[in-house]
Amino acid sequence: MRIRMILNGQKAANPLLQEAITTIRQHHFFALDLRTTHSPDEIRDLVEECRQDHIDRIVVGGGDGSINRVLNEIMKIPESERPELAILPLGTANDFATAAEIPLDPYEALLIAVHGISFPVDVARANERHFLNVASGGFGAQVTTETPPGLKSFLGGTAYTLTGLLKLFSFSPIYGTMRIGEHRIEGSSFATAVCNGRQAGGGMILSPQACIDDGLLDIVLFTLDPLPIPGELLAPPERPFANLPFRKILRAPGVEFIPETPPRRVNLDGEPYDAERFFFRVLPGALRLVLPDTCPMLRENTP
């Protein structure tokens, strides 16, 4: 198998990472191919180079944003030629990796990335953009967007909490329309999330039992409105804490949101994306992702 790592250049000097790469090369007799990137344009070119070189597996070293950018380039490749994806979490929050129980230690994560088994997982799509973990809108999107990079570097995931506390009392709910199949629901929410994964924003659990291989999206609404949500769309009641008075979790293969007023923005795995309306859908089994055998987001491991 031909494996190549695409590494976020801002993380390249990490001593634990360098030690992990050296150990893999010296003691696992594996010539790990490495490319370093400093811009989104470079990611596009490096993924295309992987396709031309017939690379079987791409290891992305970085945070949720780096994963998202590599994912979007991989999804441009025809499915029959699409390389597997493995994750080496090096970001501020590492929300997807944490929920998937991919180790945050570089050596342990790299062992799985190189030697692990890939599983077919769903990819989510917002209009023409793809994401693997969570699309957040409203309050959550504003917090993610407005948290300064320097604060994230200094405080890590705690920076999102601090920014959220500062924004909490000045944020107004967003009114709009949600369409799921034949159902149309109007109302307001403080925050909305479309989840393929389970958590975002530096460790906030949004949908505790979302699975990445069930062909469905978990649609999470934080609202004080008595929304007329059909019972068949709600997550099963046996899911612990699935639906609380202020949080509703719906499940569907697709959903459309039409915000009535700005801001018309969502964050896709932490990457900002603006549009007049947002149509989300799931692409079942569209990607082979390297995961621990015990990953709790796989259906076979979910109670």
Side-chain angles (χ1 to χ4, degrees):
M1 173 177 286
R2 302 192 64 189
I3 301 177
R4 180 172 294 168
M5 181 192 297
I6 296 178
L7 174 64
N8 184 328
Q10 295 181 347
K11 311 296 181 180
N14 182 324
L16 291 178
L17 170 63
Q18 292 300 324
E19 182 180 346
I21 293 173
T22 299
T23 302
I24 289 291
R25 285 173 169 168
Q26 290 182 348
H27 299 287
H28 292 260
F29 307 102
F30 190 86
L32 184 62
D33 197 6
L34 176 62
R35 301 287 190 275
T36 303
T37 176
H38 296 276
S39 74
D41 287 342
E42 289 180 341
I43 289 178
R44 180 192 62 209
D45 295 339
L46 289 175
V47 173
E48 173 59 21
E49 182 183 278
C50 287
R51 185 191 68 80
Q52 294 177 4
D53 292 345
H54 304 289
I55 296 299
D56 301 298
R57 177 179 295 180
I58 296 175
V59 181
V60 54
D64 293 309
S66 296
I67 296 168
N68 181 268
R69 288 187 286 271
V70 172
L71 171 71
N72 272 276
E73 298 304 323
I74 287 178
M75 293 302 294
K76 296 176 183 177
I77 300 173
E79 189 167 359
S80 60
E81 304 173 27
R82 196 171 292 160
E84 299 175 351
L85 181 64
I87 294 172
L88 176 61
L90 299 170
T92 301
N94 302 305
D95 279 305
F96 183 84
T98 299
E101 295 188 354
I102 296 172
L104 299 183
D105 176 80
Y107 175 65
E108 293 180 6
L110 199 51
L111 273 181
I112 293 175
V114 170
H115 298 296
I117 299 171
S118 68
F119 297 84
V121 302
D122 304 336
V123 173
R125 182 166 179 163
N127 297 347
E128 77 281 1
R129 288 281 302 278
H130 297 88
F131 62 98
L132 188 60
N133 189 32
V134 171
S136 60
F139 180 71
Q142 189 178 60
V143 169
T144 305
T145 301
E146 297 187 14
T147 300
L151 191 64
K152 290 193 291 184
S153 298
F154 183 66
L155 295 179
T158 307
Y160 293 115
T161 303
L162 179 58
T163 303
L165 290 173
L166 295 174
K167 297 291 180 185
L168 180 61
F169 297 104
S170 62
F171 187 84
S172 299
I174 296 176
Y175 190 90
T177 301
M178 179 176 68
R179 292 176 177 167
I180 301 177
E182 61 184 16
H183 302 288
R184 175 187 173 99
I185 302 167
E186 294 186 18
S188 65
S189 67
F190 285 89
T192 303
V194 178
C195 301
N196 192 36
R198 296 184 176 181
Q199 71 177 56
M204 179 181 291
I205 306 297
L206 296 170
S207 188
Q209 289 186 291
C211 291
I212 53 176
D213 60 348
D214 61 357
L216 293 169
L217 299 171
D218 280 27
I219 303 148
V220 186
L221 304 174
F222 292 90
T223 179
L224 299 178
D225 289 0
L227 299 179
I229 300 174
E232 65 265 27
L233 294 180
L234 291 171
E238 64 269 16
R239 289 189 171 196
F241 308 110
N243 295 295
L244 303 173
F246 60 89
R247 182 184 71 181
K248 304 298 181 186
I249 300 180
L250 295 71
R251 308 194 76 219
V255 59
E256 183 180 20
F257 287 103
I258 309 171
E260 186 171 287
T261 57
R264 297 184 179 93
R265 164 172 288 186
V266 297
N267 279 317
L268 308 178
D269 298 341
E271 295 294 293
Y273 175 65
D274 299 319
E276 288 299 309
R277 61 176 61 194
F278 303 93
F279 179 62
F280 297 92
R281 64 187 177 100
V282 68
L283 307 176
L287 177 73
R288 292 200 68 91
L289 182 65
V290 180
L291 294 165
D293 294 343
T294 57
C295 172
M297 290 196 292
L298 296 174
R299 278 182 299 174
E300 62 182 27
N301 298 330
T302 300

